[in-house]
Amino acid sequence: MMESGPLTGPVPTDGSADGTHPRPAELSGVPAKPNPADGEIGGTFWRRFTFRRPLAALILQRLGLSVGLLFAVSLMISGGIEALPGDFATTYLGQSATPQAVENIRKDLGLDKPWTERYLSWLGGAVQGDFGTSWASKNSVGEQIGKRLGNSLFLAFFAALISVPLAVGLGMLAVQFRNRLPDKIINVVSLAAISLPEFFVGYLLIMFFAVKYGIATFPATVYDSMSFTERLSAIALPVATLVLVVLAHMMRMTRAAILNVMSSAYVETAELKGLSAFRIIAKHAAPNAVAPVINVIALNLAYLVVGVVVVEVVFVYPGMGQYMVDAVTVRDMPVVQACGLIFAAFYIFLNMAADILAIIANPRLRHPR
Amino acid sequence: MPEMLSVKNLKIEATSYPPGEPPKVVTLVEGVSFDVEKGKVLGLIGESGAGKSTIGLSALAYGRGGVRITGGQVLLDGKDILTLDKNGIRSIRGARVCYVAQSAAAAFNPAHRLGDQVIEASVRHGIMSREEAKKRALYLFRVLGLPNPETFGDRYPHQVSGGQLQRAMTAMALCPNPELIVFDEPTTALDVTTQIDVLAAIKHAIEETHTAALYITHDLAVVAQISDDIMVLRHGKTVEYGTTKQVIEAPREDYTRALVSVRQTKRDEAADQTGAQLKIEHVSAGYANGFKVLHDVSMHLPKGQTLAIVGESGSGKSTLARVITGLLPPTEGRISFEGKELPRALKGRSNDELRRIQMIYQMADTAMNPRQTVRDIVGRPLSFYFGMHGQKKSERVKELLDQIEMGSRFLDRYPAELSGGQKQRVAIARALAAKPELILCDEPTSALDPLVAEGILNLLLKLQEETAVSYVFITHDIAIVRAIADSVAVMHRGRLVRFGPKSKVLSPPFDDYTDLLLKSVPEMEIGWLERVLKTRRMESAGN
């Protein structure tokens, strides 16, 4: 009889699976609307617009695409949770669950309604900024996430503050000493850092700095009552881990981008104009190396927010990642949905910002013929 | 008059790193000496690898990559610039000596406005104030005949044409009032019809500003128009050095004589041009975005003959080749081969239809797999079309290599181990391996030095006699048309301007475009430029 719980779970899922079939059509309509460049409808107006203001058109296109992507992500999260075996009621009640109790909880939370209906009502709330209440703690999801997001951003901000200038600086240093000893050392060390999984780096740091020498705090849990400096010392180790993980990628891209530009004919022209080395790098090389560097920085910033799950768990840091992992284990739908959506939003909008910056950095798009 | 630039016994070396061998020092230039007076132009001429650019850059005490000036003197106004320190050299570059690069499109920074780049060196070196520099730039834009000189400087490099960029680069070099300008093949990347305008502009600007100049090119006919003296270089050494008149009209050395006479191969056309092995009827073609490249083009080619398609870049001549091969299906019209209509797209054609039409490209090295040996490259069509293998295939590959006058010692070489001309020969062997009836040649000689190109053309003519293969020969070079064609099609902006037997197409009365095209081809004759500028009817628009 116990088996029928998980068995009946998937049944409504199958039923609503039919409902998903017309959905992709509706979904594909969403990104198509702000992006009619390849559609026939309104083609002439859009074509004229892209011709006259290509920059504005591109940015509009990216914005529309991002919104569409967010919808797609929310659908996928929702569908993904639906596909997991078991639901909140069975995991919450555990082994002692009677069919009646399970049924009651399902009814309370509306789990008996079809999936499409639940998704739409959640979407309706989310669009207005209401992410519902957590099933497990009965608290407002928005409120809880607010604090945790703050913690995660605090961590990401300091990791970025250290890693971005360090990566760009090391990249330039590597260019300056290309193929000489400093370049090789930077390369080997960064390669080692990127090759080790982040949880391993985290545990290594804990072992040395917290256990052996005792100069760092562990766990890195932060409380409301902590002062700013206490918080800083608490996050030292997770920040160090994150920096090590993202540094290599950014450093190598910076090096490659600048090297690429330094070998171009226009840098030779600048050299033959008798300009100073600094002016050549700052005025002639840098503006052309910006686009690829921005792209990889944005990707890594997004990773700092989204990819910290493992690091937060290792260091017992009360951020979004840990919150989401906890929610997934109990199938706390509203929390998972909200966390997933926020992560996706960060990822998408950071990438979009990078795209737009790269577009702005390109004179061909800024100044059409 | 005192010498502005005096180079004495110059020696330039570089270190090369051949794979798997210890680094070795290569001498690029040895024992080169010359003088340039104020207001005079010295032409440096030679094939690629002759050390022309390397010598030109030595006037700025600059070596590309690992190139070092190891001996001799470079005296600028009597002072040796090779003995100067870093800052001393910097104060000369861009101020007293300026450089005009071959590809202005690559040499301008895409991120800054042209005007800012043109005046940058003058302002940075403190030669003039920003305002003065702007005024001078405006004056130079006018002298060089750039359109809308008042607003030209506000534009970005991608917003103007190649010919305009090359002139802007000249303006950039002239702006600080330098004592010497090094022009490094400034017109080589341009169409002939554009080249003549840029050439005239450069000549005018040099006369106007009385600067001394080094003019580097591989085209003797071009240098004859612009320089007072000529130095012929080969393998980093001086072959001949004299006045332009002496070098062009009475060359002393065999190598110079070969260069002077290189474009004089001529061949009579076939008398009977009635047949049509390849027939192109009312073909139009364009790209998916709706951009139409070819408009209603018709021509035909009899068996065993050569049809030359001429036109400048953007005229649609390469697109026509793509349409014939089926790579780009035409939107209208039909193409028939041996009386049978060819399927429009590549996919619809049978193996045998593919075999009968082969292609040779402009850049032989990008058309070959760098990881395959000559044996594999030439052998591939043999196994693909004829199922040959083993001994038989090997024999046939050797035969083909003999046909292209290279021989079996090249069998196991990689493309990187071949010279430009040898690569093109291997590409020809690969095309021949399929026993084609028609070979489309897309500018196969335009990336080669004149003497090497001549060798390729003679080889193609010999192969045509031996195998009766037909050629569609795409080129922008009228001299090549004269040398090899039976019939000629002139294309301009996607339309056929003129088509017929060579003798008819290349003799008057001309339409305006053919007139411009024919008159733009530099001739090995002093004073040709001035004469042509006076007599032509049509300006090359927009350049």
Side-chain angles (χ1 to χ4, degrees):
Chain A
M1 206 56 214
M2 278 324 302
E3 304 292 306
S4 73
L7 263 181
T8 45
V11 174
T13 320
D14 283 352
S16 62
D18 292 326
T20 55
H21 285 304
R23 204 145 290 280
E26 190 192 306
L27 175 76
S28 65
V30 173
K33 212 178 279 166
N35 181 19
D38 21 33
E40 280 94 65
I41 327 136
T44 49
F45 169 74
W46 182 254
R47 205 174 253 185
R48 251 183 298 137
F49 186 64
T50 43
F51 190 74
R52 255 183 310 157
R53 321 268 331 252
L55 191 60
L58 263 169
I59 291 174
L60 267 180
Q61 220 170 313
R62 290 298 142 98
L63 271 171
L65 219 67
S66 307
V67 174
L69 266 174
L70 272 182
F71 271 106
V73 166
S74 74
L75 254 180
M76 276 159 66
I77 297 173
S78 182
I81 295 178
E82 207 61 34
L84 284 177
D87 63 2
F88 177 73
T90 51
T91 44
Y92 184 71
L93 293 173
Q95 294 287 319
S96 61
T98 63
Q100 188 54 47
V102 170
E103 207 53 42
N104 283 343
I105 289 186
R106 283 205 182 130
K107 206 159 216 166
D108 273 1
L109 299 174
L111 284 178
D112 51 344
K113 289 184 201 147
W115 173 78
T116 44
E117 205 182 313
R118 277 182 283 135
Y119 173 72
L120 284 179
S121 81
W122 172 85
L123 190 65
V127 168
Q128 297 165 33
D130 174 19
F131 290 103
T133 51
S134 159
W135 293 345
S137 66
K138 309 288 180 218
N139 285 330
S140 155
V141 174
E143 238 167 72
Q144 277 188 311
I145 282 187
K147 207 190 298 163
R148 300 238 171 192
L149 184 61
N151 284 345
S152 273
L153 289 181
F154 186 69
L155 189 63
F157 173 77
F158 281 100
L161 199 68
I162 296 172
S163 61
V164 172
L166 194 64
V168 174
L170 282 178
M172 287 188 178
L173 202 70
V175 171
Q176 191 74 34
F177 295 97
R178 180 183 358 162
N179 294 336
R180 305 227 299 270
L181 196 63
D183 181 25
K184 282 179 183 156
I185 292 175
I186 293 173
N187 255 318
V188 168
V189 172
S190 62
L191 198 66
I194 210 174
S195 313
L196 295 174
E198 56 214 276
F199 69 86
F200 187 69
V201 174
Y203 285 132
L204 270 184
L205 289 179
I206 292 170
M207 190 178 94
F208 282 105
F209 294 102
V211 180
K212 259 198 166 158
Y213 304 113
I215 47 170
T217 9
F218 178 80
T221 317
V222 289
Y223 311 101
D224 289 344
S225 55
M226 278 175 132
S227 74
F228 184 69
T229 42
E230 279 174 326
R231 275 170 191 260
L232 279 189
S233 90
I235 63 165
L237 283 189
V239 164
T241 312
L242 285 173
V243 167
L244 279 178
V245 171
V246 296
L247 188 66
H249 191 199
M250 287 194 280
M251 194 288 286
R252 293 179 146 241
M253 282 304 290
T254 308
R255 178 182 184 271
I258 296 182
L259 271 187
N260 191 19
V261 173
M262 288 303 278
S263 64
S264 65
Y266 52 81
V267 168
E268 186 184 91
T269 305
E271 218 165 313
L272 291 176
K273 277 181 180 175
L275 303 179
S276 66
F278 175 75
R279 192 178 167 86
I280 291 172
I281 292 183
K283 187 99 202 263
H284 286 277
N288 294 291
V290 160
V293 173
I294 285 182
N295 244 316
V296 73
I297 286 179
L299 203 70
N300 281 287
L301 288 185
Y303 175 82
L304 282 178
V305 178
V306 178
V308 292
V309 179
V310 178
V311 172
E312 285 184 359
V313 172
V314 167
F315 286 95
V316 204
Y317 185 80
M320 287 273 291
Q322 218 195 15
Y323 189 45
M324 187 175 177
V325 171
D326 292 347
V328 169
T329 44
V330 294
R331 315 277 189 273
D332 193 345
M333 255 294 277
V335 177
V336 178
Q337 275 278 22
C339 288
L341 208 60
I342 286 170
F343 280 155
F346 262 101
Y347 217 91
I348 289 169
F349 282 99
L350 273 171
N351 271 299
M352 186 187 70
D355 274 2
I356 291 175
L357 281 176
I359 289 168
I360 292 173
N362 185 345
R364 279 167 199 272
L365 291 166
R366 239 179 324 139
H367 308 277
R369 286 192 87 122
Chain B
M1 209 180 255
E3 286 86 33
M4 202 71 251
L5 177 76
S6 181
V7 169
K8 291 197 162 68
N9 207 12
L10 192 67
K11 182 170 185 179
I12 302 177
E13 291 176 321
T15 312
S16 78
Y17 301 89
E21 284 170 55
K24 63 179 179 208
V25 174
V26 193
T27 305
L28 299 177
V29 173
E30 202 172 12
V32 170
S33 307
F34 57 84
D35 301 308
V36 190
E37 288 170 20
K38 189 172 165 52
K40 296 276 180 190
V41 181
L42 170 67
L44 294 180
I45 176 147
E47 55 199 39
S48 49
K52 322 183 282 289
S53 293
T54 315
I55 295 172
L57 286 169
S58 73
L60 293 112
Y62 183 81
R64 273 194 189 126
V67 171
R68 301 174 307 272
I69 303 167
T70 50
Q73 288 177 308
V74 177
L75 304 171
L76 183 68
D77 210 6
K79 264 187 74 179
D80 189 357
I81 62 169
L82 298 182
T83 58
L84 294 173
D85 64 355
K86 232 180 173 178
N87 282 329
I89 289 173
R90 255 190 54 207
S91 69
I92 284 175
R93 290 181 187 162
R96 297 177 60 196
V97 186
C98 292
Y99 180 73
V100 177
Q102 171 170 3
S103 168
F108 271 112
N109 193 324
H112 299 298
R113 294 179 195 275
L114 286 169
D116 293 338
Q117 299 191 54
V118 166
I119 64 170
E120 186 180 20
S122 317
V123 176
R124 282 281 133 188
H125 287 295
I127 295 167
M128 45 187 96
S129 73
R130 219 183 142 74
E131 287 316 307
E132 287 167 342
K134 273 189 175 163
K135 244 185 242 160
R136 175 150 173 90
L138 179 60
Y139 160 75
L140 289 170
F141 290 158
R142 285 218 177 89
V143 169
L144 288 159
L146 284 162
N148 308 321
E150 288 82 13
T151 54
F152 184 80
D154 296 335
R155 300 173 144 227
Y156 281 86
H158 68 271
Q159 293 174 313
V160 306
S161 73
Q164 289 168 4
L165 272 182
Q166 210 66 50
R167 276 184 265 181
M169 184 121 202
T170 307
M172 183 157 87
L174 285 164
C175 188
N177 246 325
E179 291 148 46
L180 176 76
I181 300 186
V182 179
F183 291 95
D184 194 352
E185 307 239 15
T187 62
T188 306
L190 305 174
D191 276 315
V192 272
T193 51
T194 313
Q195 164 173 290
I196 184 170
D197 289 325
V198 175
L199 212 56
I202 289 177
K203 184 163 186 176
H204 178 55
I206 291 175
E207 281 165 4
E208 208 47 23
T209 55
H210 302 293
T211 178
L214 283 180
Y215 196 99
I216 296 163
T217 177
H218 66 273
D219 192 337
L220 197 52
V222 164
V223 89
Q225 308 312 318
I226 209 154
S227 62
D228 301 287
D229 296 314
I230 290 179
M231 173 177 265
V232 182
L233 292 155
R234 195 179 195 194
H235 306 316
K237 295 199 176 77
T238 310
V239 174
E240 186 162 353
Y241 179 32
T243 64
T244 300
K245 196 172 161 59
Q246 178 259 309
V247 172
I248 300 288
E249 287 170 7
R252 281 189 296 256
E253 300 295 321
D254 287 344
Y255 179 68
T256 317
R257 263 194 286 277
L259 281 181
V260 170
S261 60
V262 68
R263 282 159 175 250
Q264 297 181 356
T265 339
K266 276 190 187 150
R267 195 184 74 139
D268 292 332
E269 66 195 45
D272 178 23
Q273 299 195 9
T274 46
Q277 181 189 41
L278 175 76
K279 204 166 180 185
I280 299 166
E281 292 166 286
H282 305 292
V283 162
S284 295
Y287 291 99
N289 58 11
F291 185 71
K292 216 170 165 193
V293 190
L294 288 177
H295 306 265
D296 192 21
V297 173
S298 302
M299 53 185 84
H300 65 269
L301 167 63
K303 193 173 169 58
Q305 298 189 11
T306 302
L307 164 65
I309 303 178
V310 260
E312 56 198 67
S313 52
S315 62
K317 50 194 198 307
S318 289
T319 307
L320 185 59
R322 284 168 59 83
V323 170
I324 296 172
T325 55
L327 285 168
L328 180 73
T331 49
E332 280 163 62
R334 41 184 271 159
I335 293 168
S336 21
F337 191 72
E338 297 281 9
K340 238 180 80 188
E341 187 174 344
L342 283 172
R344 310 167 90 80
L346 196 62
K347 268 193 215 157
R349 298 190 184 177
S350 69
N351 258 0
D352 199 53
E353 279 167 331
L354 293 178
R355 178 190 65 75
R356 294 159 81 177
I357 302 179
Q358 294 292 315
M359 195 146 179
I360 311 172
Y361 303 87
Q362 176 172 5
M363 294 291 170
D365 41 354
T366 55
M368 284 193 260
N369 187 338
R371 307 233 167 219
Q372 284 185 349
T373 59
V374 170
R375 186 196 296 272
D376 299 328
I377 291 168
V378 179
R380 174 68 188 145
L382 294 177
S383 35
F384 181 72
Y385 290 119
F386 307 111
M388 281 190 198
H389 51 83
Q391 186 68 30
K392 212 169 144 201
K393 179 168 147 185
S394 189
E395 288 298 316
R396 178 75 183 129
V397 171
K398 276 182 204 156
E399 223 176 279
L400 285 162
L401 285 185
D402 286 336
Q403 242 179 332
I404 57 162
E405 297 157 4
M406 274 174 67
S408 51
R409 71 203 159 94
F410 288 95
L411 270 175
D412 294 307
R413 298 251 195 119
Y414 287 94
E417 297 169 299
L418 303 173
S419 72
Q422 288 167 342
K423 277 180 215 167
Q424 199 56 275
R425 279 169 193 261
V426 171
I428 292 171
R430 176 173 65 180
L432 279 183
K435 293 204 171 155
E437 283 148 51
L438 170 68
I439 300 182
L440 303 175
C441 312
D442 191 355
E443 307 243 16
T445 58
S446 57
L448 302 174
D449 288 312
L451 289 178
V452 181
E454 177 116 315
I456 297 284
L457 291 181
N458 286 332
L459 173 68
L460 286 173
L461 288 177
K462 186 195 90 176
L463 293 172
Q464 188 166 49
E465 256 167 49
E466 286 170 9
T467 62
V469 63
S470 323
Y471 296 127
V472 168
F473 201 101
I474 293 164
T475 181
H476 64 270
D477 191 338
I478 296 286
I480 292 178
V481 176
R482 290 215 171 90
I484 64 161
D486 295 295
S487 51
V488 181
V490 180
M491 300 214 27
H492 184 47
R493 299 198 178 153
R495 289 174 203 281
L496 186 67
V497 178
R498 211 171 158 89
F499 171 67
K502 175 168 66 178
S503 56
K504 259 203 178 136
V505 169
L506 298 187
S507 50
F510 294 122
D511 56 283
D512 287 356
Y513 179 70
T514 309
D515 177 66
L516 171 73
L517 194 64
L518 289 178
K519 284 189 174 160
S520 298
V521 181
E523 276 169 38
M524 204 86 65
E525 180 192 318
I526 298 162
W528 163 84
L529 183 65
E530 286 76 11
R531 189 164 49 78
V532 158
L533 288 175
K534 271 189 212 128
T535 57
R536 64 183 184 162
R537 280 176 274 168
M538 180 178 164
E539 296 248 344
S540 52
N543 290 314

